[in-house]
């Protein structure tokens, strides 16, 4: 029988509302096909603002699943997820048949596609006054594959679907959209929800069971209520911690092995967290989505082909995964705050507790776990040579932050959560903030810091917390040593400590340290002997440069902020040796293959290289570079080769410097130079010398848009034989280029445009290339490319600098052709999508102007259809129109593809005797481009 809610609500308002909290009662039932939730609802709405309201805002977030125009859909596409975009109508969610009764008047709403509903009031609602609202509506539940909420094969996960007031609204009552970032929709309200459904269903929630019905749940929500409906039995583990009984409920099945491990680990987790945060909730509900989102990243088994490597034992994985999940769940339920603005507070505390747990229970575990010992080749363990195999598990947090910082794609901690990139949501909101909390705790003393947390959250348990209040109280407790946190959170962190030099002074060291960053803050200064014993002292840096005394002169090494203690911009200047050849500097170290850099050393990476072209044949050599896995400002690279085809040394070298300001209209400004020496024909070599600068404009880290302005100068020298001299080829020439590029690697609509002006002594030409690729059905794409080129003047002596039609004019040696001068054979069939872009062989070039369009469309599995058409003109000749078409086989899209021409201006090509030589292929050896293609959406 349906409850009489508001008849008794006002009589019990002191019990239900706890002052001025909203109260919500819901009676919900499922349709026979379990696709629709039919809801009768009553809301006691309070005006907690300081102004009278003429309308009430209610949130209708199921409308986010309605169509392709929602902010949720746009966010999913930026995260490289397209299920919602291509969803069937039956998979989407919607609100239907809404009726609202307020002030005794019933209203029908027809515009239900908005994520917010405004109820106009006949009379203004004064501050501290309340209003009774009754609702009846139906929720068409979406498929859970989009966000983890909705319907799957056997279960229903409900969150953010009911119509509710916005807890965090202000007097502007601005719209709020569902973005699937676990936002706070309605926090601190009293809920009473009763599900009237078939007995075959089991129901659980993060609210407590209430009343006589097994499907009735009630309580005050710190986070938004969540409900799990299933045909299967729901697993639960009861835990007792210091006489407190806590039920841990799982919204997914757990195995008997996992249950046995959890019965051991959960009491340890909860006791550990209770010592730091005080009060614990009596019920912890873990949904499948929460587990997959909050689990410990990087410890799962590695499986590919016939190989299976176990980084950590099964019990260790259970321990770490569930400590991460449970700690986040506990902290989420400690207090109420607005996640979009103050996300870093809860996320940072969770990382802090994780760091403490790892350093207490896993102090010697490595980042790669047991992988370096398990991965063997001919009995050898190749991963052991990498510094990555020596890194501690606890160093993962600083390394993740360092990686994104060296890209200059990090964001300030206080950035709104919805504006953080996918990677920064962890690297900044969780990791950087957690490291800062751990740094403050280390300086204060962990016992004192944990005592502060315990006391603070005991006082604010399940109450609203302002992040500024937390920082203020922490500053007082730390004696002012945490004052730097407030300013560091509000700006991109560019603090760096540079250990410049030391001098022996009687029985001590005098150390000079430069500090980059305007904040005054503490730092850890340590000495270490050869045996590994350390002495630590805390100092305070409040100026750019200062000298500090260390009361010992027997140390072998001086260190600032060891073990990545502070999230600095550069850890490579935090170490100095005091004895031997490398006294007052870092030691030099040669390493095979790129690695995570060891900040104690100046590292050079030497790795073997193999190359090939038709004239140098197989080239054997090595690459010497000073850059490891992380980017750095100054980079140099030298790659000498032995050419087996000529018996000569060939190779290339380059140097560059990157200027990357924290906050500017540009993200990076790269300046550099390069040189190379290879062969472009038999016994004919070429040399290139170049200077370049590339200006990358600043970008939103969540955006796929990039903009670049570039300039380059190249000097080229070629050996010429008698035939080439007779053809008036250039032995020496200079090229200047200036251009602008715009790229948008969006998931559905990918586009780019490039404009270039190139000139030398004998020509000047303008070129424009535009590209558009559209995924018109799931995994079905069509692309359009336009190229236009025009010579402002052309007084060249031959055709080398003309626009290519079927084959690129590679006079700058920039396209990586395997057979630069090949005119017959398989190497001549290599295809580069550039200039005219035609796949059929048209034995001509364009020395006046050219326009072309290249179309490519998917038809089935690995096969595409292509078509090219264009106009070109040579000086003194009439304009020509040409076209071609055929089939493309995609082996590795954009990297290894084969083109089979069918029909063209030349005729039906499969009937031609030399058809085998008309087949073209794309073969691109560009690992950086491949990796960049795979990691789209991560940043």
């Amino acid at each position: 029988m349906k409850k009489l809610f508001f008849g008794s609500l006002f009589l019990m308002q002191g019990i239900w509302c706890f002052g001025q909290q909203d109260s919500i009662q819901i009676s919900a039932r499922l349709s026979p096909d379990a696709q629709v939730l039919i809801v009768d609802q009553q809301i006691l709405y309070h005006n907690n603002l300081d102004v009278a309201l003429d309308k009430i805002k209610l949130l209708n977030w199921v409308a986010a699943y309605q169509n392709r125009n929602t902010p949720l859909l746009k966010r999913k596409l930026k995260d490289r997820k397209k299920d919602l975009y291509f969803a069937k109508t039956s998979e989407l969610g919607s609100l239907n048949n809404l009726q609202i009764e307020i002030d005794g008047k019933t209203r029908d709403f027809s515009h239900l596609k908005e994520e917010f509903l405004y109820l106009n009031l006949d009379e203004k609602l004064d501050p501290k006054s309340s209003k009774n609202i009754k609702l009846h509506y139906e929720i068409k539940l979406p498929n859970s594959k989009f966000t983890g909420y909705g319907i799957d094969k056997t279960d229903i996960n409900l969150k953010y679907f009911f119509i509710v007031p916005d807890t965090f609204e202000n007097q502007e009552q601005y719209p709020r959209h569902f973005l699937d970032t676990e936002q706070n929709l309605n926090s601190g309200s009293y809920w009473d929800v009763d599900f009237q459904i078939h007995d075959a269903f089991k129901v659980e929630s993060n609210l407590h069971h209430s009343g006589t019905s097994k499907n009735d749940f009630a309580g005050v929500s710190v986070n938004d209520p969540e409900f799990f409906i299933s045909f299967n039995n729901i697993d639960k583990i009861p835990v007792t911690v210091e006489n407190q009984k806590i039920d841990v409920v799982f919204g997914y099945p757990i195995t008997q092995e996992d249950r046995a491990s959890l019965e051991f680990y959960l009491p340890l987790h909860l006791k550990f967290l209770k010592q730091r945060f005080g009060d614990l909730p009596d019920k912890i509900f873990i949904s499948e989505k929460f587990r997959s989102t909050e689990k410990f990243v990087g410890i799962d088994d590695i499986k590919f082909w016939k190989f299976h490597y176990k980084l950590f034992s099964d019990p260790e994985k259970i321990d770490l995964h569930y400590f991460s999940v449970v700690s986040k769940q506990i902290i989420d339920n400690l207090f109420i705050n607005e996640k979009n603005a103050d996300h870093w507070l809860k996320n940072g505390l969770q990382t802090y507790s994780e760091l403490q747990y790892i350093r207490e229970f896993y102090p010697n575990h490595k980042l790669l776990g047991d992988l370096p010992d398990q991965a063997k080749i001919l009995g050898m363990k190749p991963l052991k040579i990498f510094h990555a195999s020596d890194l501690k598990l606890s160093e993962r947090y600083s390394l993740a932050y360092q990686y994104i910082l060296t890209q200059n794609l990090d964001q300030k901690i206080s950035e709104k959560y919805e504006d953080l990139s996918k990677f920064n949501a962890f690297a900044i909101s969780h990791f950087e903030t957690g490291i800062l909390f751990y740094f403050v705790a280390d300086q204060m003393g962990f016992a004192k810091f944990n005592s502060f947390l315990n006391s603070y959250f005991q006082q604010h348990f399940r109450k609203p917390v302002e992040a500024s209040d937390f920082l203020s109280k922490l500053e007082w407790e730390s004696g002012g040593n945490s004052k730097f946190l407030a300013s560091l959170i509000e700006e991109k962190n560019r603090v760096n400590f540079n250990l410049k030099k030391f001098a022996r002074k009687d029985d001590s060291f005098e150390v000079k340290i430069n500090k980059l960053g305007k904040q005054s803050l503490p730092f850890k200064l340590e000495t270490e002997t050869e045996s590994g014993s350390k002495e630590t002292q805390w100092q305070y840096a409040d100026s750019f440069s200062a000298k500090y005394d260390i009361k010992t002169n027997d140390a072998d090494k001086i260190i600032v902020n060891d073990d990545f203690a502070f999230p600095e911009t550069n850890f490579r200047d935090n170490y100095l040796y005091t004895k031997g050849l490398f006294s007052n500097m870092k030691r030099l170290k040669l390493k095979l293959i790129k690695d995570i850099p060891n900040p104690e050393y100046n590292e050079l990476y030497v790795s073997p290289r193999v190359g090939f072209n038709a004239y140098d044949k197989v080239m054997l050599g090595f690459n010497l570079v000073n850059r490891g896995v992380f980017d750095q400002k100054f980079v140099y690279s030298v790659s000498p080769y032995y050419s087996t085809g000529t018996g000569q040394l060939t190779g290339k070298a380059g140097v560059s410097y990157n200027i990357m300001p924290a906050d500017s209209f540009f993200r990076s400004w790269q300046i550099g130079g390069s040189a190379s020496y290879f062969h472009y024909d038999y016994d004919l070599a070429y040399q290139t010398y170049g200077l370049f600068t590339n200006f990358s404009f600043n970008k939103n880290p969540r955006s796929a848009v990039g903009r670049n302005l570039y300039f380059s100068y190249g000097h080229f020298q070629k050996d010429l034989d008698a035939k080439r001299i007779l053809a008036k080829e250039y032995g020496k020439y200079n090229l200047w280029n200036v251009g602008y590029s715009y790229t948008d690697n969006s998931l559905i609509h990918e586009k780019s445009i490039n404009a270039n002006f190139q000139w030398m002594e004998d020509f000047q030409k303008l070129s424009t290339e535009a590209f558009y690729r559209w995924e018109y059905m799931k995994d079905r794409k069509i692309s359009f490319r336009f190229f236009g080129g025009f010579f402002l003047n052309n007084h060249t002596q031959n055709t080398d600098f003309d626009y290519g039609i079927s084959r690129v004019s590679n006079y700058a040696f920039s396209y990586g052709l395997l057979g630069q001068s090949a005119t017959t054979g398989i190497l001549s069939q290599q295809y580069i999508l550039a200039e005219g872009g035609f796949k059929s062989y048209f034995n001509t070039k364009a020395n006046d102007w050219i326009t072309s369009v290249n179309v490519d469309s998917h038809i089935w599995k690995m096969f595409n259809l292509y078509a090219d058409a264009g106009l070109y003109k040579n000086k003194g000749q009439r304009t020509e129109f040409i076209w071609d078409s055929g089939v493309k086989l995609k082996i590795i899209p954009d990297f290894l593809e084969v083109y089979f021409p069918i029909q063209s201006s030349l005729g039906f090509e499969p009937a031609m005797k030399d058809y085998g030589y008309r087949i073209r292929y794309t073969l691109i050896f560009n690992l950086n481009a491949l990796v960049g293609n795979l990691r789209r959406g991560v940043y």
Side-chain angles (χ1 to χ4, degrees):
M1 181 178 176
K2 197 174 177 181
K3 288 184 179 181
L4 297 174
F5 172 58
F6 270 94
S8 60
L9 174 62
F10 291 103
L11 298 176
M12 302 177 62
Q13 188 169 343
I15 299 175
W16 269 54
C17 299
F18 301 95
Q20 293 297 319
Q21 294 175 329
D22 295 335
S23 298
I24 300 167
Q25 186 186 31
I26 290 173
S27 175
R29 65 185 188 274
L30 275 174
S31 63
D33 61 359
Q35 299 292 310
V36 176
L37 201 63
I38 303 158
V39 179
D40 288 298
Q41 179 175 342
Q42 301 193 51
I43 300 173
L44 184 62
Y45 174 86
H46 288 85
N47 178 9
N48 291 315
L49 302 175
D50 295 328
V51 297
L53 298 176
D54 58 6
K55 61 181 180 293
I56 293 174
K57 183 184 75 176
L58 299 178
L59 296 178
N60 169 36
W61 276 2
V62 72
Y65 300 88
Q66 185 80 10
N67 52 46
R68 291 187 179 182
N69 297 318
T70 64
L72 173 64
L73 183 277
K74 295 174 183 177
R75 186 177 184 88
K76 288 296 179 183
L77 292 179
K78 287 184 178 180
D79 290 338
R80 318 301 292 183
K81 296 177 181 178
K82 55 189 177 184
D83 285 339
L84 184 57
Y85 186 87
F86 291 111
K88 300 175 183 177
T89 303
S90 60
E91 296 176 323
L92 299 175
S94 62
L95 177 70
N96 301 301
N97 301 324
L98 173 64
Q99 293 181 336
I100 297 180
E101 181 183 326
I102 185 169
D103 294 331
K105 298 179 181 178
T106 301
R107 309 179 188 182
D108 292 327
F109 280 78
S110 56
H111 302 289
L112 303 180
K113 293 186 178 182
E114 297 293 338
E115 294 179 53
F116 36 88
L117 306 172
Y118 291 106
L119 310 182
N120 294 316
L121 301 175
D122 294 334
E123 296 181 1
K124 286 190 175 183
L125 183 63
D126 293 328
K128 310 305 179 186
S129 298
S130 61
K131 186 73 74 171
N132 181 8
I133 307 170
K134 296 181 180 181
L135 305 95
H136 173 83
Y137 54 91
E138 296 176 2
I139 302 171
K140 166 61 178 68
L141 296 172
N143 193 296
S144 63
K145 67 182 179 181
F146 308 132
T147 65
Y149 300 125
I151 306 171
D152 64 16
K153 293 180 180 179
T154 59
D155 304 324
I156 300 174
N157 291 276
L158 300 177
K159 191 175 183 182
Y160 305 124
F161 291 144
F162 297 118
I163 297 176
V164 294
D166 181 0
T167 299
F168 300 98
E169 73 174 348
N170 58 26
Q171 64 188 44
E172 281 78 26
Q173 296 183 307
Y174 59 91
R176 287 184 69 201
H177 298 279
F178 176 58
L179 300 173
D180 193 27
T181 58
E182 295 302 303
Q183 302 131 286
N184 307 84
L185 172 63
N186 185 272
S187 299
S189 296
Y190 186 90
W191 287 70
D192 190 334
V193 182
D194 182 23
F195 289 95
Q196 299 176 7
I197 57 178
H198 195 276
D199 289 341
F201 287 105
K202 284 80 176 177
V203 187
E204 261 299 350
S205 173
N206 55 351
L207 298 176
H208 287 279
H209 283 280
S210 173
T212 57
S213 171
K214 66 177 182 179
N215 297 331
D216 190 2
F217 301 89
V220 176
S221 63
V222 173
N223 293 304
D224 292 273
E226 190 168 356
F227 304 95
F228 177 62
I229 304 172
S230 178
F231 280 115
N232 304 315
N233 290 325
I234 298 175
D235 288 306
K236 178 172 67 174
I237 296 178
V239 179
T240 301
V241 180
E242 297 180 5
N243 299 320
Q244 181 185 3
K245 294 182 179 180
I246 301 172
D247 287 331
V248 182
V249 182
F250 302 88
Y252 50 89
I254 57 175
T255 65
Q256 288 301 315
E257 293 81 3
D258 286 357
R259 186 181 185 90
S261 296
L262 287 169
E263 287 175 344
F264 174 78
Y265 284 118
L266 285 176
L268 298 179
H269 295 166
L270 294 173
K271 182 179 180 181
F272 184 91
L273 294 166
K274 187 175 181 67
Q275 291 170 349
R276 285 151 181 80
F277 299 109
D279 292 329
L280 300 178
D282 295 327
K283 185 177 184 180
I284 299 171
F285 176 73
I286 302 173
S287 68
E288 171 60 33
K289 178 180 181 178
F290 193 87
R291 178 183 68 158
S292 61
T293 303
E294 300 297 339
K295 70 179 184 178
F296 200 95
V297 177
I299 60 173
D300 287 328
D301 298 356
I302 297 176
K303 300 177 183 179
F304 66 96
W305 198 34
K306 297 180 180 180
F307 300 98
H308 182 187
Y309 297 112
K310 192 179 283 289
L311 278 67
F312 293 82
S313 68
D314 290 336
E316 287 172 337
K317 286 187 292 184
I318 289 289
D319 184 18
L320 290 169
H321 277 320
Y322 275 93
F323 181 81
S324 180
V325 170
V326 170
S327 60
K328 187 60 166 66
Q329 189 68 265
I330 293 296
I331 293 168
D332 276 352
N333 283 280
L334 270 180
F335 57 91
I336 298 170
N337 77 329
E338 210 281 284
K339 177 178 179 178
N340 197 39
D342 294 335
H343 52 89
W344 53 269
L345 181 53
K346 286 183 175 179
N347 291 341
L349 289 171
Q350 193 268 341
T351 295
Y352 166 75
S353 62
E354 223 174 66
L355 267 167
Q356 277 220 309
Y357 191 81
I358 290 171
R359 287 181 171 168
E360 182 170 338
F361 296 106
Y362 294 86
N364 300 314
H365 279 63
K366 302 300 183 183
L367 178 66
L368 299 182
D370 298 327
L371 181 62
D373 292 312
Q374 290 187 23
K376 297 180 181 179
I377 300 177
L378 300 176
M380 298 183 293
K381 302 175 181 178
L383 294 182
K384 285 285 191 178
I385 68 173
F386 291 95
H387 175 59
S389 67
D390 297 323
L391 292 168
K392 297 177 182 178
L393 183 61
S394 59
E395 293 175 319
R396 66 195 288 267
Y397 305 96
S398 295
L399 292 172
Y401 170 70
Q402 272 286 302
Y403 178 74
I404 198 68
L405 183 144
T406 57
Q407 309 280 324
N408 201 18
L409 288 172
D410 60 311
Q411 295 167 273
K412 60 185 180 181
I413 294 174
S414 63
E415 193 78 52
K416 289 184 177 180
Y417 191 80
E418 64 187 40
D419 295 331
L420 289 175
S421 71
K422 195 173 180 180
F423 195 90
N424 281 334
F426 282 96
I428 303 300
S429 180
H430 282 80
F431 294 173
E432 184 187 5
T433 314
I435 296 166
L436 288 171
F437 285 157
Y438 195 92
F439 180 77
V440 171
D442 192 9
Q443 197 273 336
M444 285 177 60
F446 291 107
K448 185 177 180 181
F449 185 82
N450 291 337
S451 176
F452 162 74
L453 293 181
N454 192 301
S455 173
Y456 185 87
F457 291 118
Q458 290 264 17
Q459 297 173 28
H460 296 83
F461 185 59
R462 301 176 71 83
K463 297 177 182 177
V465 167
E466 293 287 340
S468 57
D469 179 72
F470 174 83
L471 292 178
S472 177
K473 297 294 194 302
L474 177 59
E475 181 183 337
W476 184 87
E477 191 70 22
S478 67
N481 285 332
S482 69
K483 184 178 180 180
F484 69 93
L485 283 177
S487 59
L488 204 59
I489 285 168
E490 292 296 330
E491 58 190 39
K492 289 177 71 171
N493 176 16
R494 288 299 180 269
V495 172
N496 186 61
F497 293 94
N498 186 346
L499 185 52
K500 296 296 291 183
K501 62 181 181 179
F502 74 89
R504 296 183 186 274
K505 184 179 175 183
D506 299 328
D507 60 346
S508 64
F509 290 118
E510 184 181 70
V511 181
K512 181 180 179 180
I513 298 175
N514 290 350
K515 177 183 68 69
L516 179 66
K518 60 185 180 182
Q519 295 87 359
S520 297
L521 69 165
F523 66 94
K524 191 194 304 189
L525 188 58
E526 292 180 294
T527 57
E528 183 177 337
T529 64
E530 191 173 1
S531 63
S533 64
K534 291 184 178 182
E535 292 186 13
T536 302
Q537 64 185 61
W538 285 88
Q539 298 284 358
Y540 207 84
D542 54 10
S543 61
F544 168 73
S545 183
K547 295 180 179 179
Y548 305 89
D549 288 331
I550 303 175
K551 301 301 181 182
T552 181
N553 62 1
D554 191 36
D556 292 86
K557 187 166 51 178
I558 303 172
I559 313 162
V560 172
N561 293 333
D562 197 16
D563 293 329
F564 304 102
F566 185 88
E568 299 183 42
T569 59
N570 181 17
F571 290 103
R572 297 163 65 104
D573 51 17
N574 286 27
Y575 297 82
L576 280 181
Y577 286 91
T578 65
K579 298 177 182 179
L581 178 65
F582 292 94
S583 177
N584 238 333
M585 64 178 70
K586 292 196 299 183
R587 294 177 181 175
L588 183 67
K589 193 172 188 178
L590 286 175
K591 299 200 68 176
L592 287 175
I593 309 177
K594 287 186 177 182
D595 193 1
I596 294 175
N598 185 338
E600 292 193 35
Y601 299 94
N602 281 318
E603 293 180 322
L604 292 177
Y605 300 96
V606 184
S607 54
R609 288 285 189 272
V610 178
F612 175 82
N613 66 48
Y615 318 107
D616 288 302
K617 305 299 183 185
V618 176
M619 295 178 287
L620 305 174
F622 64 89
N623 173 245
L624 177 69
V625 65
N626 69 327
R627 179 176 61 190
V629 173
F630 295 168
D631 282 346
Q632 58 190 61
K633 292 183 178 180
F634 178 67
V635 178
Y636 57 86
S637 174
V638 180
S639 299
Y641 292 94
Y642 173 74
S643 166
T644 62
T646 64
Q648 299 178 1
L649 285 177
T650 60
K652 57 185 178 180
V655 61
S656 66
Y657 185 81
N658 250 329
I659 301 170
M660 296 189 292
D663 293 295
S664 180
F665 66 95
F666 67 96
R667 183 175 70 89
S668 69
W669 181 12
Q670 187 181 40
I671 304 169
S674 63
S676 67
Y677 176 83
F678 293 101
H679 291 80
Y680 73 99
D681 207 341
Y682 297 104
D683 299 321
L684 297 176
Y686 72 87
Q687 304 171 49
T688 69
Y689 305 92
L691 298 173
F692 66 88
T693 182
N694 185 41
F695 199 84
S696 297
F697 291 93
N698 204 0
K699 59 168 288 186
N700 178 350
R702 283 199 58 81
S703 171
V705 173
R707 297 171 296 132
N708 294 274
L709 187 65
Y710 58 88
F711 171 81
S712 67
Y713 162 76
H715 174 75
F716 303 86
Q717 296 184 26
K718 298 194 313 183
D719 295 340
L720 302 177
D721 57 13
K723 178 181 177 181
R724 284 176 165 75
I725 293 174
L726 189 62
K728 297 183 178 181
E729 289 195 15
Y730 289 75
K732 293 183 180 180
Y733 51 93
N734 301 292
L735 290 176
W736 287 264
N737 282 279
V738 61
Y740 172 83
S741 67
Y742 170 93
T743 59
D744 182 355
N745 293 319
S746 297
L747 187 59
I748 304 299
H749 301 281
E750 181 180 354
K751 45 192 174 290
S752 65
I753 187 167
N754 182 77
N756 177 263
F757 176 53
Q758 185 181 78
W759 72 97
M760 63 167 291
E761 294 86 347
D762 293 340
F763 76 81
Q764 295 87 43
K765 62 181 178 181
L766 285 169
S767 304
T768 300
E769 181 181 15
F771 177 83
Y772 172 70
R773 179 154 50 193
W774 173 38
E775 187 167 351
Y776 59 92
M777 293 176 59
K778 192 170 185 180
D779 300 325
R780 296 284 184 93
K781 298 181 180 181
I782 185 170
S783 66
F784 302 87
R785 175 183 176 270
F786 167 82
F787 178 79
F790 174 71
F791 279 94
L792 299 177
N793 63 69
N794 185 0
H795 304 295
T796 55
Q797 302 169 6
N798 57 20
T799 63
D800 284 355
F801 303 97
D802 295 349
Y803 288 111
I805 292 177
S806 303
R807 185 176 170 85
V808 293
S809 300
N810 195 26
Y811 51 85
F813 303 101
S814 58
Y815 285 118
L817 290 173
L818 299 178
Q820 171 70 28
S821 301
T823 56
T824 60
I826 191 169
L827 295 183
S828 69
Q829 295 171 246
Q830 185 180 1
Y831 172 77
I832 303 291
L833 180 59
E835 299 181 337
F838 286 83
K839 286 81 176 175
S840 294
Y841 280 111
F842 296 97
N843 191 24
T844 186
K845 291 185 175 183
N847 63 17
D848 195 352
W849 59 264
I850 182 175
T851 62
S852 65
V853 177
N854 315 111
V855 183
D856 191 311
S857 180
H858 180 264
I859 51 173
W860 180 70
K861 291 188 176 180
M862 300 169 64
F863 294 94
N864 281 28
L865 285 177
Y866 72 82
D868 308 308
L871 298 167
Y872 72 93
K873 184 179 183 302
N874 285 308
K875 290 190 293 186
Q877 300 181 19
R878 63 184 178 85
T879 300
E880 298 283 347
F881 172 75
I882 54 175
W883 63 276
D884 67 15
S885 61
V887 176
K888 179 174 76 172
L889 172 62
K890 299 180 296 182
I891 300 173
I892 302 176
D894 297 331
F895 295 91
L896 178 57
E897 302 174 333
V898 183
Y899 298 87
F900 300 91
I902 304 296
Q903 190 77 36
S904 71
S905 303
L906 303 173
F908 184 64
E909 297 196 35
M912 298 179 181
K913 292 181 179 180
D914 61 347
Y915 182 71
Y917 293 105
R918 294 179 175 275
I919 297 171
R920 310 289 297 276
Y921 64 88
T922 294
L923 183 61
I924 298 176
F925 295 105
N926 190 335
L927 182 60
N928 290 333
L930 181 59
V931 171
N933 190 51
L934 293 174
R935 74 182 187 183
R936 289 176 184 173
V938 174
Y939 299 150

